[in-house]
């Protein structure tokens, strides 16, 4: 399983970014995908997840209404559209896949890729 996240960068508060994560080495269309983030000195936390067919999404309360997770199974890619960014969104963002087909991805169960840094300046 390989997951490659991209799209991070430096943005001003109120700005937008779209993260992408390309998966390979597994049947992408059968896996729940998620985004997690970790800020310096803090535990990694859940951000959003999406089921294998895109039918169901879930979000952390802190990002509801501002972040949107989506996927394109034809491209083996999951996205995280982020708007109205806040300085507290600054973190390394990781995409993850469930450790088995059709199972949830959690902090303790899943395959994680390398992260991409998002920095929001005030």
């Amino acid at each position: 399983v390989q997951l490659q996240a991209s799209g991070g960068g430096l943005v001003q508060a109120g700005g937008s970014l779209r993260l992408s994560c390309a998966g390979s080495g597994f049947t992408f269309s059968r896996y729940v995908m998620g985004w997690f983030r970790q800020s310096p000195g803090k535990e990694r936390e859940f951000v959003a997840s999406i089921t294998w067919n895109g039918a169901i999404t879930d979000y952390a309360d802190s990002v509801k209404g501002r972040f949107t997770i989506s996927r394109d199974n034809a491209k083996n890619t999951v996205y995280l559209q982020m708007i109205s960014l806040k300085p507290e969104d600054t973190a390394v963002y990781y995409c993850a896949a469930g450790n088995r087909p059709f199972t949830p991805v959690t902090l303790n169960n899943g395959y994680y890729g390398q992260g991409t840094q998002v920095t929001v300046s005030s």
Side-chain angles (χ1 to χ4, degrees), residues 21-114:
C21 175
S24 61
F26 63 109
T27 307
F28 185 86
S29 61
R30 295 183 180 183
Y31 283 74
V32 175
M33 298 297 297
W35 287 95
F36 296 76
R37 67 186 182 185
Q38 188 166 17
S39 304
K42 293 187 177 181
E43 298 286 327
R44 188 174 297 187
E45 64 177 0
F46 167 79
V47 176
S49 66
I50 186 167
T51 52
W52 53 93
N53 58 1
I56 299 172
T57 56
D58 190 25
Y59 298 92
D61 288 343
S62 59
V63 307
K64 279 181 181 176
R66 300 187 299 121
F67 291 10
T68 302
I69 188 171
S70 61
R71 66 190 296 159
D72 184 340
N73 286 344
K75 297 181 178 179
N76 288 359
T77 302
V78 62
Y79 305 97
L80 186 68
Q81 177 69 51
M82 307 184 292
I83 66 171
S84 302
L85 282 161
K86 305 174 182 180
E88 51 263 44
D89 294 319
T90 295
V92 176
Y93 283 71
Y94 301 88
C95 71
N99 60 1
R100 292 193 303 276
F102 312 117
T103 58
V105 56
T106 69
L107 285 167
N108 298 313
N109 288 289
Y111 294 104
Y112 282 77
Q114 291 184 327

